[in-house]
Amino acid sequence: EADIYQTPRYLVIGTGKKITLECSQTMGHDKMYWYQQDPGMELHLIHYSYGVNSTEKGDLSSESTVSRIRTEHFPLTLESARPSHTSQYLCASAGLAGGNEQFFGPGTRLTVL
Amino acid sequence: AQTVTQSQPEMSVQEAETVTLSCTYDTSENNYYLFWYKQPPSRQMILVIRQEAYKQQNATENRFSVNFQKAAKSFSLKISDSQLGDTAMYFCAAPIQGAQKLVFGQGTRLTINP
């Protein structure tokens, strides 16, 4: 079944640790996005990609980095986590159909102590 | 600036009532789609309904319909016969910069009471 996956779903780590949040989709979409969302608040775009080897920063400045080596995979990395990075991170993808309708993963809730 | 505004942070209605969530947007795109997404508590964001801006007819999906006023750049969501499962955050979204990215509104927290 075509879907979009995120792992881990929950992560609690200490300050200074390097982390990678995984996002994979099996829908064959070229476009992928990372959003940051505090609980009950709006989504902020932090990174996006329109295809392999294409990545751009979003509207909200973020210390994280992303890569797009394979179409289906769009991981997000924090080299040194801080408490200010505590948030929910949502991954989404979009194809050519549906006017850029975005399909969302379940999210990763990150807590940095 | 190209923005999306939801002016109702929270709404609460009784089960079976009808509720309307408002959204206004500002985009320079000519041909675009607008979206309403639903995010239930601790659950995945899913699409509720989308509207093609070049279509005059308002989109409808079962109990969900939109009132799209292109000139006014208004895109409200009407939920008829509301159900407990409709309790969620609702976000409207509009495209910016070539329709490849979406901007999301601040969200409306909707509670359906039994």
Side-chain angles (χ1 to χ4, degrees):
Chain A
E1 178 182 341
D3 208 341
I4 180 165
Y5 307 91
Q6 288 186 247
T7 57
R9 293 291 310 279
Y10 303 91
L11 180 61
V12 180
I13 60 167
T15 297
K17 298 292 186 182
K18 178 181 178 179
I19 60 167
T20 297
L21 307 185
E22 302 287 351
C23 177
S24 295
Q25 50 94 6
T26 57
M27 294 181 280
H29 289 166
D30 286 327
K31 292 171 280 189
M32 296 189 74
Y33 308 84
W34 276 104
Y35 294 90
Q36 184 172 342
Q37 182 190 31
D38 291 330
M41 303 295 285
E42 62 193 293
L43 285 72
H44 295 284
L45 181 67
I46 52 174
H47 296 284
Y48 60 99
S49 167
Y50 293 157
V52 171
N53 295 325
S54 154
T55 62
E56 301 286 344
K57 289 190 178 295
D59 306 314
L60 179 69
S61 176
S62 174
E63 295 168 343
S64 58
T65 59
V66 292
S67 62
R68 190 86 184 278
I69 298 172
R70 302 198 321 262
T71 299
E72 63 272 20
H73 196 211
F74 191 40
L76 180 145
T77 298
L78 275 167
E79 290 293 333
S80 180
R82 295 206 301 268
S84 61
H85 296 139
T86 294
S87 189
Q88 176 163 249
Y89 294 83
L90 298 177
C91 181
S93 70
L96 295 176
N100 199 44
E101 174 189 346
Q102 294 186 16
F103 295 80
F104 284 83
T108 293
R109 191 172 297 278
L110 173 65
T111 302
V112 184
L113 303 176
Chain B
Q2 294 175 306
T3 60
V4 179
T5 302
Q6 294 179 247
S7 58
Q8 304 149 312
E10 294 189 30
M11 297 188 73
S12 178
V13 299
Q14 296 300 119
E15 194 175 7
E17 289 182 347
T18 294
V19 60
T20 299
L21 283 58
S22 65
C23 175
T24 58
Y25 64 97
D26 182 16
T27 181
S28 57
E29 299 299 318
N30 290 318
N31 295 318
Y32 54 91
Y33 285 67
L34 299 165
F35 304 91
W36 276 99
Y37 283 89
K38 170 185 178 181
Q39 188 178 38
S42 300
R43 291 178 60 188
Q44 202 155 336
M45 183 95 75
I46 59 172
L47 180 73
V48 175
I49 196 166
R50 65 169 171 257
Q51 172 76 44
E52 300 172 61
Y54 60 87
K55 284 191 175 180
Q56 298 277 7
Q57 187 174 6
N58 289 323
T60 299
E61 290 284 346
N62 300 315
R63 298 182 296 107
F64 299 88
S65 61
V66 302
N67 182 5
F68 175 50
Q69 304 288 331
K70 188 173 183 178
K73 293 186 177 178
S74 170
F75 178 56
S76 61
L77 174 69
K78 186 172 83 170
I79 305 174
S80 303
D81 186 27
S82 58
Q83 301 175 358
L84 298 179
D86 295 333
T87 292
M89 285 288 292
Y90 287 81
F91 295 93
C92 64
I96 60 170
Q97 297 181 8
Q100 302 286 358
K101 297 189 294 182
L102 294 178
V103 172
F104 287 78
Q106 303 92 327
T108 297
R109 183 182 304 278
L110 175 65
T111 302
I112 309 299
N113 299 304

